[in-house]
Amino acid sequence: MSPTVSHKDSSRQRRPGPVNHCPDLKSGPLPPSAWDDELPADGVGGEADTEALLRTAGGRPPWGPRGYRAELSNILLLFFLYVLQGIPLGLAGSIPLMLQSKNVSYTDQAFFSLVFWPFSLKLLWAPLVDAVYFKSFGRRKSWLVPTQYILGLFMIYLSTQVDHMLGYADGRSPDVTALTLAFFVFEFLAATQDIAVDGWALTMLSRENVGYASTCNSVGQTAGYFLGNVLFLALESADFCNKYLRFQPQPRGIVTLSDFLFFWGTIFLITTTLVALLKKENTEITPSKEETKGITDTYKLLFTIIKMPAVVTFCLMILTAKIGFSAADAVTGLKLVEEGMPKEHLALLAVPMVPLQIILPLIISRYTAGPQPLNVFYKAMPYRLLLGLECALMVWWTPKIAYQGGFPIYYYIVVLLSYALHQITLYSMYVSIMAFNAKVSDPLIGGTYMTLLNTVSNLGGNWPSTVALWLVDPLTVKECSGVSDQNCWTPEAAELCKKLGGSCVTTLDGYYVESVFCVVFGFSWWFFVGPKFKKLQDEGASSWKCRRNN
């Protein structure tokens, strides 16, 4: 489902939650969210840095096994850095719902959806982050500290402008272009911080405890996303605060977006200063022999991988596989808000999903651990497509059961069950792709190879979502009721209709047109392309092995 009931394939769609995308492969542990790409996002450092972990020149660990308690301060620091990383993700996910409550067009929503792309494209500049640094200050701190300072200052500046951008200050329509540019920069900085933190996580902890880095990523980002999205939308809503948190009703929520941005901008500045002054990087690490050398070598390696026939085939298939889910994932949440569901209630539906999102990967991984992980992807796909039709039916049903006080409790139960089923199919496909990417990645360059495959997988969810949002308005048919010889085909015509005393009435909602098309396309892909997609897992190891000149 969407903006708030789905996030995952796109935004760092890394964590599942109330955003408008699905889990992203790797940037963090699952997109259950969370949802981006579970490998080190720095493209070069992955496997190589893992091999380099805390080894001296002699190739032996400088100390014996260490329990997690001995490194609890490092674990807590990583956790907090990932929490900070989740704040921008959550805020970006809340903006579409705020825009929808101000009746912006779906074309504008499509334009704003571009802010979710940096996390899926960070491989393009990750080699630069990995290779350029000040050795005396620290390889990861050279990027982490300035990036977080810029993030903090940018959040404080944005807090002074965001009310104007949203149209709160002067009662105008939201400036979607300004919002998109601002939050695109916001997410670009957050993605850069993610690259630095992911790389530092591999060397901050000892080999015995490096597994906790993934836990810090998943839990920390999910917590940050919750704070920036679910908690913010609840506290920003006057209705929610008046109903549950106040004795005397007030016209505004407890916090505003400008207040929230200023508070977290200050936190970013304070904590970054403490990290810069008090935390030292480990300098006892010798680079692995398999680590790629420099920026040019890394980009050449990526180009070599992408030219391999098996990889080309995989990329073409995965870039089209998720078209069938785009209407349900990208538009459904916005449509529910349009039909009257309070945006804060939609966001809160993600809370009971957290345990499910934690358990699902553990269960599904039992079935994807074998030699044919894509079988799970293939089996789950038709069920997820059918849920797309169920989402459309739910949107149609929503205004029919609404009453003055809101919606009956059984309606929220139905939505919650629908969301749970959606998460089961989504994670089945997500874990399957992750397992396949890990299976075929050349172990000598595993970090770069798998991150590339995950990046393409994420793009396969991003571009259909943006297109689906953009097509809703062109596919919608409206008529001018009350005025003869007048239509509502364009914004200008709709405005003229209102001036003449008429009203625009929707006769065909483009969302339903998209929903049917997506399901038909999805089943066609599943029937004709799906079997060929499964056969990729039968390719020999040599088909995926990268030949490079040393």
Side-chain angles (χ1 to χ4, degrees):
M1 311 183 81
S2 164
T4 266
V5 192
S6 167
H7 189 120
K8 217 141 178 208
D9 262 19
S10 97
S11 78
R12 218 185 179 164
Q13 285 122 336
R14 204 177 183 131
R15 310 216 115 70
V19 186
N20 166 67
H21 307 309
C22 287
D24 250 10
L25 301 176
K26 167 275 127 301
S27 243
L30 222 30
S33 197
W35 334 94
D36 267 330
D37 334 60
E38 231 17 266
L39 305 169
D42 22 337
V44 254
E47 192 83 357
D49 281 348
T50 303
E51 293 300 320
L53 283 180
L54 302 181
R55 290 190 175 277
T56 62
R60 301 174 62 86
W63 47 70
R66 307 175 68 186
Y68 76 91
R69 288 184 176 86
E71 297 187 277
L72 185 59
S73 61
N74 287 339
I75 292 174
L76 292 176
L77 174 59
L78 277 178
F79 171 77
F80 185 71
L81 290 175
Y82 281 119
V83 170
L84 291 181
Q85 187 181 113
I87 299 296
L89 295 171
L91 285 174
S94 68
I95 297 299
L97 300 180
M98 299 177 72
L99 292 176
Q100 193 68 6
S101 64
K102 294 183 73 67
N103 300 316
V104 303
S105 69
Y106 283 93
T107 303
D108 288 336
Q109 291 281 14
F111 185 62
F112 185 82
S113 71
L114 295 175
V115 307
F116 299 108
W117 284 55
F119 268 97
S120 292
L121 296 174
K122 61 182 179 289
L123 181 63
L124 297 178
W125 68 92
L128 181 67
V129 176
D130 189 73
V132 179
Y133 57 92
F134 297 101
K135 187 174 182 181
S136 59
F137 189 54
R139 183 179 187 183
R140 304 305 175 183
K141 286 173 62 178
S142 294
W143 286 90
L144 177 69
V145 171
T147 298
Q148 290 199 169
Y149 269 132
I150 297 173
L151 264 171
L153 293 172
F154 188 73
M155 292 175 79
I156 292 175
Y157 169 75
L158 195 56
S159 70
T160 67
Q161 304 295 319
V162 71
D163 284 346
H164 175 73
M165 294 178 182
L166 286 169
Y168 292 157
D170 47 18
R172 298 180 181 179
S173 299
D175 188 343
V176 178
T177 301
L179 281 169
T180 302
L181 293 176
F183 276 86
F184 187 90
V185 173
F186 199 22
E187 296 303 290
F188 174 83
L189 292 170
T192 303
Q193 187 253 23
D194 174 61
I195 297 169
V197 175
D198 284 346
W200 198 3
L202 293 174
T203 56
M204 185 184 294
L205 302 179
S206 65
R207 180 174 294 278
E208 292 80 9
N209 296 317
V210 72
Y212 286 105
S214 178
T215 303
C216 291
N217 187 315
S218 181
V219 178
Q221 236 187 40
T222 300
Y225 190 90
F226 178 86
L227 292 172
N229 187 280
V230 180
L231 182 64
F232 164 69
L233 287 173
L235 296 181
E236 187 266 347
S237 168
D239 291 339
F240 182 89
C241 294
N242 291 337
K243 186 175 182 179
Y244 299 106
L245 303 177
R246 287 175 173 152
F247 295 106
Q248 295 294 330
Q250 300 291 332
R252 303 182 68 178
I254 292 177
V255 301
T256 63
L257 181 55
S258 60
D259 296 333
F260 200 82
L261 285 166
F262 184 85
F263 172 79
W264 282 106
T266 304
I267 295 297
F268 264 84
L269 295 179
I270 294 174
T271 55
T272 302
T273 300
L274 294 176
V275 170
L277 296 177
L278 303 179
K279 181 61 182 176
K280 305 297 182 184
E281 286 195 45
N282 190 320
T283 59
E284 300 177 347
I285 299 175
T286 300
S288 164
K289 293 180 180 179
E290 294 300 336
E291 185 172 4
T292 53
K293 303 293 192 296
I295 302 173
T296 302
D297 184 63
T298 301
Y299 284 115
K300 287 181 178 179
L301 180 59
L302 291 173
F303 187 66
T304 300
I305 296 172
I306 203 68
K307 290 193 302 180
M308 297 165 57
V311 174
V312 171
T313 301
F314 170 81
C315 291
L316 291 176
M317 290 183 176
I318 201 64
L319 285 173
T320 56
K322 300 174 186 177
I323 293 176
F325 318 125
S326 57
D329 288 354
V331 189
T332 299
L334 296 176
K335 276 294 177 182
L336 290 175
V337 173
E338 180 183 328
E339 297 296 350
M341 177 183 278
K343 61 183 182 298
E344 62 275 11
H345 290 181
L346 187 60
L348 287 170
L349 289 176
V351 177
M353 290 296 103
V354 172
L356 181 65
Q357 292 163 352
I358 293 174
I359 295 172
L360 279 175
L362 301 177
I363 297 176
I364 297 169
S365 60
R366 295 183 179 182
Y367 301 94
T368 59
Q372 296 186 316
L374 292 182
N375 288 355
V376 175
F377 181 100
Y378 185 77
K379 292 177 181 178
M381 187 171 182
Y383 295 102
R384 187 173 171 187
L385 290 170
L386 290 175
L387 283 172
L389 291 179
E390 187 271 341
C391 288
L393 182 63
M394 187 167 58
V395 170
W396 172 83
W397 182 50
T398 296
K400 300 184 181 304
I401 62 169
Y403 58 88
Q404 189 172 6
F407 295 89
I409 187 65
Y410 67 82
Y411 170 77
Y412 288 105
I413 293 175
V414 171
V415 174
L416 192 62
L417 289 175
S418 177
Y419 185 21
L421 292 174
H422 177 265
Q423 291 298 293
I424 292 173
T425 58
L426 183 151
Y427 272 93
S428 295
M429 300 179 70
Y430 169 77
V431 175
S432 173
I433 288 295
M434 286 288 289
F436 176 76
N437 290 350
K439 172 179 176 287
V440 301
S441 295
D442 189 335
L444 293 181
I445 48 174
T448 303
Y449 202 129
M450 186 169 171
T451 303
L452 174 62
L453 296 181
N454 287 339
T455 296
V456 175
S457 298
N458 292 334
L459 288 175
N462 276 340
W463 80 263
S465 295
T466 297
V467 172
L469 286 166
W470 180 76
L471 286 175
V472 172
D473 286 336
L475 293 175
T476 297
V477 178
K478 294 183 178 181
E479 294 181 352
C480 183
S481 177
V483 180
S484 60
D485 300 326
Q486 185 62 37
N487 60 61
C488 296
W489 296 347
T490 65
E492 294 76 15
E495 187 65 25
L496 180 59
C497 173
K498 294 178 183 178
K499 288 182 179 180
L500 295 175
S503 61
C504 291
V505 178
T506 300
T507 57
L508 179 63
D509 193 324
Y511 167 67
Y512 299 115
V513 177
E514 279 191 12
S515 296
V516 173
F517 170 80
C518 286
V519 172
V520 172
F521 180 91
F523 273 107
S524 299
W525 190 99
W526 179 73
F527 186 80
F528 294 106
V529 183
K532 298 178 181 178
F533 188 61
K534 283 202 305 177
K535 286 184 179 180
L536 288 175
Q537 60 197 352
D538 298 326
E539 293 277 354
S542 59
S543 298
W544 303 96
K545 191 156 292 185
C546 180
R547 297 179 181 179
R548 58 172 178 161
N549 298 322
N550 293 319

